[in-house]
Each structure stands twice: as structure tokens, then as C-alpha cells.
């Protein structure tokens, strides 16, 4: 009897100490994989240059345009100076302003700002607005009061563009005005040549010089 009891105890102990079966891989709860970190946005590099187009209200066909590339850090003043060079090449010496389409006129404050600060990159087109659009007489008949006004305005603007001192420019203008009013063609022609030299003359003065130079006899 004691032997049977011992065997029973042994069988019970063995059954209690038996290892429990391991859970199959399919029964294990799968852990969510970590989501990849969002990649930072790559900043778009700002253009280093700006392609500028200048449209002039003058030229052989009524208007002409010029292009030049500027640094993005260049002030608008450099574009203004380039526009003045283009105008002088066409024989126009009057003051002007730069205009962004459709009608935004840029003033002195904008001239000090860079093209990047003005948000004009990577390309921009300007129209040149001449002072003649403000009522200054430019297109004039071949003779008469308007012709004289246009003639003197062209001389005055040229001297200003060339950096003459104010008193010196006025002396030249007074000399030209007197010769125009007295009809001193030969003296006026020599004065015009002394003022402009080999530079391109404005339209009104150039037309007058052509007429004088082709006149067979002058008093």
C-alpha cells in the first residue's frame, strides 16, 4: 500500500512540473513597426541672378527692348542706370521712371532696394516712363513755339544727364535759347556741336541739324 501511494505521489508531481507548451509564432501579438521619421523639407535655393528686360518707348520702330543679367543683390538703382544708358544710345536724355506691369511706378525708395528684396527674381520686365508723359513737350513740329520748347528741353535734359553743374547748364540753355529766337542758324549749329560732340542727338535736335546741314545756302 505504501508503495502504491508513493507511485501516485510521483505521478502527480511529474504532471505538475511538466513545462507548458510555448505559444506558436502565429499566436504572438505582433508589435507595430515604428513609422519612419518625416524627412525635412529641402529649401529651394534663391536665384543668384535676375534677368532684366527694359522696354523703351523709342527706337527705329517706335519702341525697343534691351536685356541684361544682374546679381540678385544688386540695387534697383543699377537697373535704372542701365536704362539711362539705353536711352542715351537712342538720343533720349530726359528723366524717366521704371514701371512694373501693369502700372506700378517705382520711386526713389525702391531704387535703394535689391532685386531680391523687391521679389523680382528670377526675371522681370520694366517699361520706361519718360518725363514727356507728364506733359513735357518732346514731339514737335518743324518750327514754331513748340519746336523751340522741345529743342531747349532736349538740351537741358542732355546737360543734366551728363552731370553739368546747374549754373553751367543754364548758361548753355540761355545761349541756345537766344540763338534759336534770333534765328542764328550757323552759330546755333556750332553751339549744338560743342554741346553734344559725337554723342547721339535727341530726335528734335537731330532733325533740325539734318535740315541745316543739307541747306545749300544759309544767311
Amino acid at each position: 500500500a505504501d508503495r502504491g501511494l508513493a507511485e501516485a505521489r510521483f505521478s502527480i508531481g511529474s504532471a505538475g512540473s511538466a513545462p507548458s507548451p510555448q505559444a506558436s509564432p502565429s499566436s504572438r501579438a505582433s508589435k507595430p513597426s515604428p513609422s519612419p521619421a518625416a524627412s525635412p523639407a529641402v529649401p529651394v535655393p534663391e536665384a543668384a541672378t535676375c534677368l532684366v528686360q527694359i522696354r523703351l518707348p523709342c527706337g527705329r520702330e517706335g519702341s525697343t527692348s534691351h536685356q541684361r543679367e544682374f546679381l540678385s543683390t544688386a540695387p534697383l538703382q543699377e537697373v535704372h542706370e542701365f536704362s539711362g544708358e539705353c536711352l542715351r544710345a537712342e538720343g533720349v536724355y530726359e528723366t524717366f521712371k521704371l514701371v512694373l506691369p501693369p502700372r506700378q511706378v517705382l520711386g526713389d525708395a525702391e531704387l535703394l532696394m535689391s532685386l531680391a528684396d523687391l521679389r523680382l527674381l528670377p526675371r522681370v520686365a520694366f517699361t520706361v516712363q519718360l518725363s514727356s508723359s507728364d506733359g513735357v513737350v518732346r514731339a514737335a513740329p518743324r518750327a514754331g513755339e513748340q519746336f523751340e520748347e522741345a529743342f531747349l528741353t532736349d538740351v537741358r535734359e542732355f546737360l543734366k544727364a551728363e552731370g553739368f553743374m546747374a549754373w553751367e547748364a543754364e548758361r548753355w540753355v540761355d545761349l541756345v535759347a537766344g540763338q534759336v529766337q534770333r534765328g542764328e542758324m550757323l552759330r546755333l549749329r556750332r553751339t549744338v556741336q560743342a554741346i553734344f560732340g559725337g554723342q547721339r542727338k535727341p530726335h528734335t535736335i537731330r532733325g533740325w541739324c539734318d535740315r541745316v546741314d543739307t541747306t545749300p545756302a544759309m544767311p
Side-chain angles (χ1 to χ4, degrees):
D2 293 339
R3 182 178 178 181
L5 180 62
E7 289 178 355
R9 289 176 177 174
F10 176 78
S11 62
I12 294 173
S14 299
S17 64
S20 59
Q22 294 183 352
S24 63
S26 60
S27 64
R28 295 174 184 172
S30 59
K31 296 182 180 180
S33 59
S35 59
S39 57
V42 179
V44 178
E46 190 175 74
T49 59
C50 180
L51 181 62
V52 175
Q53 182 183 62
I54 301 296
R55 187 171 181 84
L56 307 178
C58 56
R60 293 180 178 84
E61 299 181 358
S63 64
T64 184
S65 61
H66 300 265
Q67 284 189 351
R68 178 179 289 184
E69 199 168 46
F70 292 84
L71 293 176
S72 61
T73 55
L76 186 63
Q77 178 66 40
E78 292 188 13
V79 179
H80 191 274
E81 293 172 357
F82 169 63
S83 304
E85 295 173 4
C86 296
L87 284 172
R88 287 193 288 275
E90 297 290 339
V92 178
Y93 300 93
E94 61 181 288
T95 55
F96 64 93
K97 296 177 182 178
L98 295 175
V99 180
L100 279 173
R103 297 181 183 86
Q104 182 184 354
V105 179
L106 302 180
D108 294 339
E110 287 82 5
L111 292 179
L112 302 178
M113 300 175 65
S114 72
L115 298 176
D117 291 339
L118 291 169
R119 301 183 182 276
L120 300 177
L121 308 181
R123 61 181 60 85
V124 64
F126 292 102
T127 298
V128 171
Q129 178 178 299
L130 301 175
S131 60
S132 55
S133 63
D134 297 328
V136 178
V137 175
R138 291 290 176 178
R142 294 165 63 92
E145 186 175 329
Q146 283 193 334
F147 170 81
E148 295 179 7
E149 183 181 349
F151 198 103
L152 295 177
T153 299
D154 281 343
V155 172
R156 184 178 289 107
E157 293 291 354
F158 171 79
L159 295 173
K160 182 179 179 180
E162 290 299 300
F164 279 66
M165 292 181 287
W167 65 267
E168 185 181 8
E170 285 306 312
R171 291 288 297 273
W172 279 108
V173 172
D174 290 343
L175 175 62
V176 171
Q179 292 174 347
V180 168
Q181 292 168 4
R182 292 188 297 270
E184 298 173 352
M185 297 179 65
L186 285 176
R187 290 183 179 179
L188 180 58
R189 183 65 180 89
R190 288 193 294 266
T191 301
V192 168
Q193 184 60 34
I195 293 174
F196 288 91
Q199 298 195 57
R200 187 175 177 84
K201 301 176 182 63
H203 176 74
T204 299
I205 296 179
R206 187 167 65 249
W208 178 83
C209 290
D210 291 343
R211 295 200 305 273
V212 172
D213 292 343
T214 56
T215 301
M218 292 185 296

